[in-house]
Amino acid sequence: MRRRSDATTVVLDAPGWRSTGLADEWVHLWVPGPGGRSGGDGPRRLYSVVDVDPLTLELAHHSPGPAGRWAGRAAAGHRVLVSQPAGRHRPPRDARWEVVVADHTGLPAARRIVAGSPPGRRLLLVLETDDADVPAPEPAGATVVRVFRPDLAEPSALAATVDGLELPDGPGYLWLGAEVPAARAVRRRLRAAGWPPHRYAVSGYWQRRDPGHADRYRAVADRVAALYAEVETGVRDPEAVADDLDDLLDRHRL
Ligand SMILES: Cc1cc2nc3c(=O)[nH]c(=O)nc-3n(C[C@H](O)[C@H](O)[C@H](O)COP(=O)(O)OP(=O)(O)OC[C@H]3O[C@@H](n4cnc5c(N)ncnc54)[C@H](O)[C@@H]3O)c2cc1C
């Protein structure tokens, strides 16, 4: 267990856990409820695997939710439940460069992506954190753009910063793990610019939820389920379905 002011690193004894080998792999984590020492039937959240052996996760303190609160008080001897992992980071072998975009939630995965990047692949990192004290990877030869967002109530500047990047020539790849509006904005721009889907993995890692969020979601839940069904049954291109899903959720402030 290591605690910084912004995040807690939790090392788990998890026999039977098997890595996918994907650099952004994550697990579902069932955290102990308020005051508890054991997770299992409590809330389940997603966390990136920062180290495989032993299984290590890094939980940001920024969230007022159950996982963020547990991160602040996690202690040796607490018991949690974790799922087997999944991941999306699959840069094509021919990628000569990679853009890695992360806020405080994507940073743990971004560190592992950078650490595992093959020699010769040029890295461009866009990292948004509270302040300059948050440790961020700065590999030799990489372009590192640090964006500071001391107040999470202010909008993320990640999408605008990615827009301003000068991308190298040749085939590349873009990975993003950050707040939902930034993820949607970047994905839309990649789609508009004609990026093929195997050249990016863009994921919303967290979302600000106001008190009306759950009611608004219930109102569109059937339409969301119908869109997911179109992907599962293979009747439509998953990226086109994702376009419709993003538009629907944006329209309902979700
Ligand atoms: C694939 C994936 C990998 C992830 N990896 C990591 C990781 O390695 N480390 C990490 O810290 N997070 C990571 N996250 C994000 C994490 O799962 C969410 O932040 C999660 O919602 C936190 O749960 P909670 O119980 O603390 O808050 P919740 O109960 O989910 O949310 C309560 C309220 O807190 C606010 N909130 C939630 N998360 C945040 C946040 N991060 N910052 C500010 N406000 C927030 C929202 O407004 C929400 O209404 C990842 C998410 C995904 C999808």
Side-chain angles (χ1 to χ4, degrees), residues 188-213:
R188 275 201 182 99
R189 283 163 197 177
L190 299 181
R191 293 276 290 157
W195 281 47
H198 69 286
R199 297 252 168 232
Y200 59 86
V202 172
S203 309
Y205 271 21
W206 69 283
Q207 189 172 25
R208 193 183 317 283
R209 273 178 259 131
D210 60 45
H213 189 102

Side-chain angles (χ1 to χ4, degrees), residues 45-48 58 60 63-64 66-68 104-105 205 207-209:
R45 301 289 185 262
L46 294 178
Y47 282 92
S48 309
E58 186 181 302
S63 157
H104 60 288
T105 58
Y205 271 21
Q207 189 172 25
R208 193 183 317 283
R209 273 178 259 131

Side-chain angles (χ1 to χ4, degrees), residues 151-167:
D151 182 358
L152 288 177
E154 296 296 323
S156 164
L158 282 177
T161 310
V162 172
D163 267 353
L165 285 180
E166 203 165 307
L167 299 180

